[in-house]
Every structure is written in structure tokens, then in C-alpha cells.
Amino acid sequence: MSTIARRGIHYVQRLNAANVSSALLEKGQGRVIDASLTLIRERAKLKAKLVRALGGAVATSSLLGVPLGHNSSFLQGPAFAPPRIREAIWCGSTNSTTEEGKDLQDARVLTDVGDVPIQEIRDCGVDDHRLMNVIGESVKLVMEEHPLRPLVLGGDHSISFPVIRAVSEKLGGPVDVLHLDAHPDNYDAFEGNIYSHASSFARVMEGDYVRRLLQVGIRSITTEGRAQAKKFGVEQYEMRTFSRDRHFLENLKLGEGVKGVYISIDVDCLDPAFAPGVSHIEPGGLSFRDVLNILHNLQGDVVAADVVEFNPQRDTVDGMTAMVAAKLVRELAAKIAK
């Protein structure tokens, strides 16, 4: 466990040693959570009012950062990713127009409601069960403000569970999920942690949140990963057969008969030649253009998305992977906005 991950636990232990009552502690935690949700709520309201005043938007991508890294099984660097991604989006090294011609300077295409203050909440001793609920409630607050749709910046992949759950609950039914990743992230409880980033899609598939889960880019999978996929009816497309599957994957049609499409992109779906700044480097992955072809050609109503597992602590000096993650966010924003 990292120093950051231990901080909140040790703080609570000190309070317990000082005989602070659990009721007092829980009341204080509740106030911190309420304040955190209020900040997201009010920012979402303000940004949505601006978009509606501009007029003409049916759906607008809204960035929501979730800087959580303590559920990573190897390195916790993804907790530092959201500000690095934002910096890369607006760094000025490229123009603000996406490949499909949408201008990110237009608030009707992309807006930003800030970050869920993960470490501040954890520093108060809030456990992962409550923390996942806070993340989900934050997502719902964004979705309450038409026409905003959440585009979530991780953080490790554990965040996809509360986000997908919240999206499905808010829309009132299941979604189809397109998941690009080197790993299936479907262990029942990796290293005993049910909220591990390696277990997020086991949690997702245990509920009624998803009709179809398509996993693309897989190239590091265990016997348990295959068994879990069979148990949950997951459609897995491994890199060893990508040349055979390419035409199908570049012409996907998802979301019909359900509430829409959710896209989850783990940056390590890419070959490390394109994105070295990840915690788990797995050679033999997708090219960046492979990913864009899949996204651009996808037919379906994208209701929310996430980009996760960028680790700034392993990036190149010139921020190559930050720019890659930013480009993924830019193109997802264009896919969502209409």
C-alpha cells in the first residue's frame, strides 16, 4: 500500500486512539462528502446553464476527474493523471479541432466540472464502499444537468465500476460497453480486493448494468480471466486474432434496444511504443490509429466514457503519453457531443 493510501487509514487510527466516537467521525465524514458533492453539483449546474444558453446542443461531453490510484495492484501513479491530461488537452501544441471537425473551444462540445476530491475524502477515513458511492453520485449529478454527459478522467480502472453502475441506474436500464484494454480486469477479487482495478468488470457484470461487454486489445489474460468471461458472457477480442477481427471491430453497431453505449479506454490497450506511460506495460497492443478507427466508425449513442490508467510517473520526459491520453479524450468528446 502506498503512502497516500495509508494516510487516511492512519489518521482514523489516531482518532480512534484519542477515543473519538464513531458517530462523531461518521458525521464529520458525511459533511466532507456532502461538501464534495455540492461542489460537483454546482459546477455542473453552472456549466449546463451556459451550454443551454448557447443553444443547439443535444449532448455535451463534461470532464469529471477521478484521481484515484490506491486500487492499483502495482503502481499508484494514475491518481496523478487528470491534471496532466487536462494540461495536454489545452497545451497549445495542436489546435482545438478534433479529427471529425468539432471544436473543443465550443462549450457545447466540451465542458469541465472538475475533480472528485478523492484523497481529501479518503484522508477522513472514508472506506472504498462509501467512496465508490461518492464517485457514482458525482456521475449522476453531472447527468442530471441536461445536456451534460460524463467523460471521466482516471485514475485507475477501479473507477469504471461505480461510473458504469451510476450511468445505468440514472438512465434506468443496461448499456452496451466497449472496453479497450490489455487486460480483462475481471478477477473476482484480485489480491483479496473486490474493488481492485483488476476486478472492476467482475463487479460491473454482477449487476444488471450491462447487456453486452466487448473487450478489445486483450493480450494478458489468465485461466481465471477466461473463466470469468465465459461466466458473464463477455465478448473478448484478443490481439493474437486482431487481424482476423479487425473488420468487425472497425464497424461496430452497439446500443440498440438498451440505454446507449459506454466506452472505457485503458491507455495500456495501446502498444507501449505509442503509450509508454502506463503502470502495466504489455507489448503487442493496438496502434493509436487502430483505436481511432474503432471509435470513429462505431455506430451508437455514446452516453458516457472514461479514459484510465495513464501513469504520469512513467511517462516520457516530453509527456508523450499525456498527449496520447489527451487525444483519446478529445476524440471521445467529439463522439459524445451532438
Side-chain angles (χ1 to χ4, degrees):
M1 187 182 295
S2 70
T3 300
I4 291 175
R6 288 192 293 263
R7 185 175 63 184
I9 296 172
H10 288 173
Y11 181 69
V12 173
Q13 289 173 342
R14 290 196 297 273
L15 288 177
N16 289 338
N19 296 317
V20 175
S21 72
S22 59
L24 182 63
L25 180 59
E26 289 179 8
K27 186 176 181 180
Q29 291 171 341
R31 288 199 299 268
V32 171
I33 290 171
D34 288 345
S36 302
L37 293 175
T38 296
L39 181 60
I40 299 295
R41 179 187 299 110
E42 295 306 318
R43 285 179 64 101
K45 284 183 177 180
L46 177 61
K47 299 301 179 74
K49 284 180 180 178
L50 171 61
V51 172
R52 291 194 296 267
L54 291 170
V58 175
T60 298
S61 300
S62 180
L63 299 183
L64 174 67
V66 184
L68 184 155
H70 65 273
N71 282 321
S72 295
S73 58
F74 180 43
L75 300 171
Q76 281 76 45
F80 303 105
R84 300 286 83 80
I85 296 174
R86 287 188 178 94
E87 181 182 18
I89 292 172
W90 303 112
C91 72
S93 73
T94 185
N95 62 56
S96 60
T97 304
T98 69
E99 289 197 5
E100 295 188 322
K102 293 181 181 177
D103 188 354
L104 300 182
Q105 298 278 11
D106 186 341
R108 292 168 294 188
V109 176
L110 179 66
T111 189
D112 192 339
V113 299
D115 291 353
V116 180
I118 296 295
Q119 295 307 328
E120 291 80 358
I121 295 171
R122 294 192 72 241
D123 192 44
C124 297
V126 173
D127 63 23
D128 264 5
H129 178 72
R130 291 180 73 190
L131 187 61
M132 294 296 161
N133 289 337
V134 172
I135 294 169
E137 287 304 311
S138 300
V139 169
K140 290 179 180 179
L141 289 173
V142 174
M143 296 179 70
E144 283 178 4
E145 300 300 328
H146 177 75
L148 304 188
R149 294 185 177 186
L151 176 45
V152 180
L153 309 179
D156 69 44
H157 222 151
S158 67
I159 71 168
S160 293
F161 162 56
V163 176
I164 293 172
R165 178 177 63 181
V167 169
S168 173
E169 289 177 347
K170 190 65 180 175
L171 294 176
V175 294
D176 286 342
V177 175
L178 174 61
H179 169 206
L180 289 84
D181 202 325
H183 317 87
D185 292 347
N186 62 1
Y187 286 97
D188 181 59
F190 190 72
E191 296 180 337
N193 180 8
I194 63 170
Y195 294 119
S196 169
H197 71 156
S199 299
S200 51
F201 283 92
R203 301 291 81 77
V204 167
M205 297 306 289
E206 286 171 345
D208 296 322
Y209 314 122
V210 173
R211 179 184 64 176
R212 293 178 67 189
L213 170 59
L214 288 76
Q215 298 185 318
V216 180
I218 305 299
R219 56 192 185 279
S220 178
I221 183 170
T222 64
T223 301
E224 181 180 352
R226 297 186 194 282
Q228 287 281 86
K230 183 177 181 180
K231 172 184 175 181
F232 293 122
V234 178
E235 302 167 49
Q236 291 183 331
Y237 298 92
E238 298 184 39
M239 284 308 302
R240 63 192 177 92
T241 61
F242 182 71
S243 60
R244 181 189 69 196
D245 301 328
R246 179 189 294 274
H247 179 75
F248 170 74
L249 295 173
E250 290 184 352
N251 293 277
L252 291 172
K253 190 173 185 178
L254 300 173
E256 287 189 344
V258 288
K259 297 299 182 177
V261 182
Y262 185 97
I263 300 175
S264 180
I265 302 181
D266 185 321
V267 177
D268 74 21
C269 72
L270 292 161
D271 189 272
F274 300 92
V278 296
S279 299
H280 299 269
I281 293 173
E282 291 289 346
L286 295 161
S287 75
F288 194 81
R289 186 51 56 182
D290 290 334
V291 173
L292 288 193
N293 287 343
I294 292 169
L295 295 181
H296 288 163
N297 296 334
L298 170 67
Q299 297 180 58
D301 182 22
V302 180
V303 294
D306 66 57
V307 175
V308 298
E309 295 288 352
F310 163 47
N311 184 346
Q313 295 178 330
R314 301 196 86 183
D315 203 1
T316 58
V317 175
D318 58 355
M320 172 182 172
T321 313
M323 293 301 294
V324 167
K327 175 89 170 185
L328 291 171
V329 171
R330 289 162 58 96
E331 297 304 315
L332 281 171
K335 192 72 178 180
I336 292 170
K338 56 185 178 181

